Amino acid sequence: MKSLTGLDATFLYLETPEMPMHVGSFNLCELPAGFRGSFHKAVKAHIGKRMHLAPVFSRKLVAMPLDLGHPLWVDADEVDISFHIRRADPAKKGAPPMTLAAVHKLCAQLHGELIDRNFPLWEFHIFDRIQLPAAMGGKVVAGFFSKIHHAALDGKGGVMLANAMLDMGPVPREVTPPDPARRRKLASDLKLGKMIGSVFSSSLAQLAKAARALPLAASALGSSLGSTLARQSAGAATGSRPKMPMKLAPATPFNAGVGTGRVFVTATIPLAECKAMGKAVDGSLNDMLLWICSTALRSYLTEHHTLPKKSLVAAMPVSLREAGASDTANLGNQVSMSLVELGTHLAHPLKRMNAIMVSTAKVKSSVGALKGLLPTDYPSLLAPWLVGGAAKMALNAYGKSGLASRLPMVANLAISNVPGPPVPLYLAGAQFLTFHPLSIIMHGLALNITIQTYAGHVDFGIVADKKALPHAKDLAAAIEAAFREAQTLLGTSAAPSPVTKARKTTVTSATGLEKSPSVKRAARPKISSIPNTAKTSNASSHGTTPSKAGSPKTRSKAGSARRSAA
């Protein structure tokens, strides 16, 4: 018997038909040479042999009696693999392959539908035949679309899950069969008294933990508040107007209530050049990707709406998981939220980059100091009534009454950055060519841009409410245009449009900034497991990982020097 943490359970409590709380990804897959048959059937057989390697495949929810506390995870009596792994494209013989645009539209529709809580909280949808556009090679490939509830795992938990189901080569590795002697915890094994007792014991433990952490939290928060008040006092002494501790985001079309309709579009750019361009401005890869998003949003709003005079603000999740964590039994969410100003009001590209770097430096500094104090759990007792009742009603009223588009928000959209594996992955013998993520939108934040690095490229997954982003393809095109603008600005060589063939060769070089990889992918040594990039990347499962960084003042000086040089 394992209870959900407070953060995991919150994704269940706040879920509505308008706000499904699952995450996923869409992958284009190149089938092995000479493959015959159905990729859908091949995936079913492949996953069927590996169900025991990751708990998410077989565990389901059981509610506490009278909803006294957080739900529990138990093993399902049985898992109907045909229910969870479905064919998405037409199975009729002779039917033409789906176009990529039609596939994206169907993925958007599927992503907007709730996962049935009577079963384990995951779905895989398989496309046997997808016709790529001419710009991407024009070949016919397969596709894999996944949906997993956010209560079951977060972004880094997804990397752990990938270790269970994916391979490093086209020949699937042999896995150890399940242990027949393993005792499975079923719903029928749960005892009423023990369940109720666990609610009270876990709640008392959470309260005691909070009490022990209170002095340290008060000290850290007091120090932060003291510095804020000191700055305001200094400003008052000099006659300048004191600033608010927290800035509100400007009004945009993305700040609105959401319905059940979704749009999903993608973009892809080379990873090596993004890293090199980040270094060229004394920033990080995350800074560069935020600049690309900022530039694209500025272009989109200028073309289709009114660009706000104030900077757009991105809500960026920050991972609190310890670096190197690899326990597949502990896939719960360990994230918090930070706010990053995107500098969209600044026309000069280097000024915009400097504003982003100053903002991310503040985030790293503040979150780094509070990382051990930020809660990922809270007392279970009566939480379903309080969070799933009162808080859910308030959020629904906020979205459906129109207040979401009238009241100011602290952020305009969500941007997440997920570090992925640097080498190609395979599912049932098929190579993943792309790894475009899909995440959550909610009332007030109707646009989500999730970014994942994969095999030498950066894949953007853009999910939004239909009404909030009616010209979604234009935003995707603006992201790739922003990358080309950065190439011109920083003097890098022009890169061709991303095509699936590039996945098999080397990444685009960054002439004059960073040398291209000296070892071809085909010559790399074999790796027994999927690499975990958490130790080397500065990006977390959903945002930046707190790390040492230059102070805002230092970053500002660097930006000023670059502007003077320009």
Side-chain angles (χ1 to χ4, degrees):
M1 180 173 64
K2 180 177 176 58
S3 174
L4 275 72
T5 66
L7 186 56
D8 292 347
T10 300
F11 289 109
L12 295 171
Y13 299 151
L14 299 182
E15 186 172 57
T16 66
E18 296 79 22
M19 295 191 305
M21 293 288 175
H22 51 253
V23 294
S25 66
F26 172 67
N27 312 89
L28 292 173
C29 310
E30 183 167 42
L31 296 170
F35 179 86
R36 294 291 183 271
S38 168
F39 183 51
H40 169 238
K41 292 180 180 178
V43 172
K44 282 175 60 177
H46 178 83
I47 299 296
K49 298 176 183 178
R50 304 187 177 198
M51 300 280 289
H52 60 290
L53 297 181
V56 68
F57 283 130
S58 58
R59 64 184 185 181
K60 70 173 188 176
L61 293 169
V62 172
M64 276 287 184
L66 302 177
D67 276 338
L68 287 177
H70 302 323
L72 304 172
W73 289 118
V74 298
D75 287 317
D77 294 331
E78 60 180 352
V79 179
D80 182 358
I81 197 167
S82 295
F83 173 82
H84 291 277
I85 303 179
R86 313 168 191 176
R87 180 164 177 175
D89 57 340
K92 185 178 179 181
K93 189 175 181 180
M98 293 184 68
T99 65
L100 186 57
V103 169
H104 284 168
K105 185 177 180 180
L106 180 54
C107 287
Q109 177 186 328
L110 294 170
H111 193 63
E113 298 172 356
L114 296 172
I115 297 177
D116 192 332
R117 294 192 190 179
N118 294 312
F119 303 90
L121 301 181
W122 62 278
E123 295 176 10
F124 294 160
H125 298 264
I126 313 301
F127 297 85
D128 268 15
R129 302 175 74 232
I130 300 173
Q131 179 74 59
L132 295 181
M136 297 179 66
K139 65 171 65 175
V140 175
V141 298
F144 176 77
F145 171 66
S146 66
K147 289 170 57 174
I148 301 177
H149 203 285
H150 215 326
L153 79 167
D154 67 356
K156 221 163 244 189
V159 175
M160 300 175 194
L161 180 63
N163 276 288
M165 57 184 287
L166 301 177
D167 296 293
M168 298 296 297
V171 179
R173 70 187 187 277
E174 293 295 326
V175 299
T176 305
D179 182 5
R182 174 181 171 267
R183 177 76 174 95
R184 300 172 66 236
K185 192 70 174 181
L186 305 176
S188 57
D189 298 326
L190 300 178
K191 305 299 181 185
L192 180 61
K194 189 174 181 180
M195 293 171 69
I196 295 176
S198 70
V199 173
F200 286 94
S201 61
S202 64
S203 296
L204 289 173
Q206 287 295 326
L207 291 171
K209 181 180 178 181
R212 290 193 299 270
L214 192 59
L216 185 59
S219 175
L221 292 174
S223 176
S224 176
L225 180 61
S227 62
T228 300
L229 292 175
R231 288 195 301 270
Q232 292 183 346
S233 298
T238 58
S240 60
R241 184 179 179 181
K243 297 181 179 180
M244 292 179 61
M246 178 181 292
K247 296 181 180 179
L248 295 176
T252 69
F254 317 135
N255 300 112
V258 299
T260 56
R262 295 288 183 272
V263 289
F264 167 59
V265 290
T266 65
T268 296
I269 57 178
L271 174 60
E273 272 190 275
C274 290
K275 287 183 175 180
M277 290 188 292
K279 290 180 181 178
V281 293
D282 297 327
S284 65
L285 171 63
N286 192 65
D287 293 333
M288 193 68 231
L289 295 179
L290 286 173
W291 182 90
I292 289 172
C293 290
S294 169
T295 304
L297 288 164
R298 176 182 168 86
S299 174
Y300 178 89
L301 289 172
T302 300
E303 181 179 358
H304 295 291
H305 301 279
T306 301
L307 179 69
K309 294 182 179 180
K310 292 174 58 180
S311 171
L312 266 65
V313 179
M316 191 169 65
V318 178
S319 177
L320 303 180
R321 189 183 296 274
E322 292 299 326
S326 59
D327 180 12
T328 56
N330 183 21
L331 302 182
N333 290 279
Q334 298 179 35
V335 295
S336 185
M337 191 66 69
S338 63
L339 299 175
V340 176
E341 293 186 35
L342 298 177
T344 51
H345 62 304
L346 300 171
H348 195 291
L350 289 182
K351 288 184 178 180
R352 194 156 61 249
M353 172 61 79
N354 187 65
I356 290 170
M357 292 166 62
V358 169
S359 187
T360 56
K362 291 178 181 177
V363 169
K364 292 173 184 177
S365 176
S366 60
V367 175
L370 297 174
K371 182 177 179 181
L373 304 175
L374 295 173
T376 59
D377 204 357
Y378 55 84
S380 176
L381 185 62
L382 297 180
W385 292 83
L386 298 174
V387 183
K392 184 176 181 178
M393 288 176 61
L395 185 59
N396 280 338
Y398 169 75
K400 295 181 178 180
S401 65
L403 289 175
S405 58
R406 292 197 294 269
L407 294 180
M409 287 282 292
V410 296
N412 299 110
L413 74 157
I415 299 179
S416 304
N417 187 358
V418 183
V423 295
L425 303 178
Y426 295 78
L427 173 67
Q431 180 185 335
F432 278 1
L433 301 173
T434 62
F435 217 122
H436 293 287
L438 295 89
S439 197
I440 295 168
I441 60 173
M442 57 191 301
H443 295 312
L445 292 176
L447 171 61
N448 184 298
I449 302 176
T450 304
I451 309 164
Q452 174 147 338
T453 59
Y454 170 66
H457 286 75
V458 183
D459 289 337
F460 293 74
I462 303 169
V463 175
D465 178 80
K466 269 186 176 182
K467 295 180 180 179
L469 194 72
H471 309 285
K473 291 182 180 179
D474 290 352
L475 180 57
I479 285 176
E480 295 181 350
F483 169 76
R484 293 191 295 270
E485 181 183 340
Q487 285 181 308
T488 303
L489 180 69
L490 300 176
T492 63
S493 60
S497 299
V499 294
T500 54
K501 290 180 181 178
R503 302 276 181 182
K504 292 184 171 183
T505 57
T506 56
V507 297
T508 308
S509 63
T511 305
L513 292 181
E514 182 179 79
K515 294 181 179 179
S516 60
S518 59
V519 182
K520 292 185 178 180
R521 185 169 295 142
R524 289 176 181 164
K526 293 183 179 180
I527 305 174
S528 58
S529 63
I530 297 170
N532 186 344
T533 59
K535 293 182 180 180
T536 57
S537 173
N538 75 323
S540 77
S541 62
H542 288 76
T544 56
T545 298
S547 59
K548 293 181 180 180
S551 67
K553 184 176 180 181
T554 303
R555 295 294 184 101
S556 183
K557 287 182 177 179
S560 299
R562 286 192 298 276
R563 293 196 299 275
S564 298

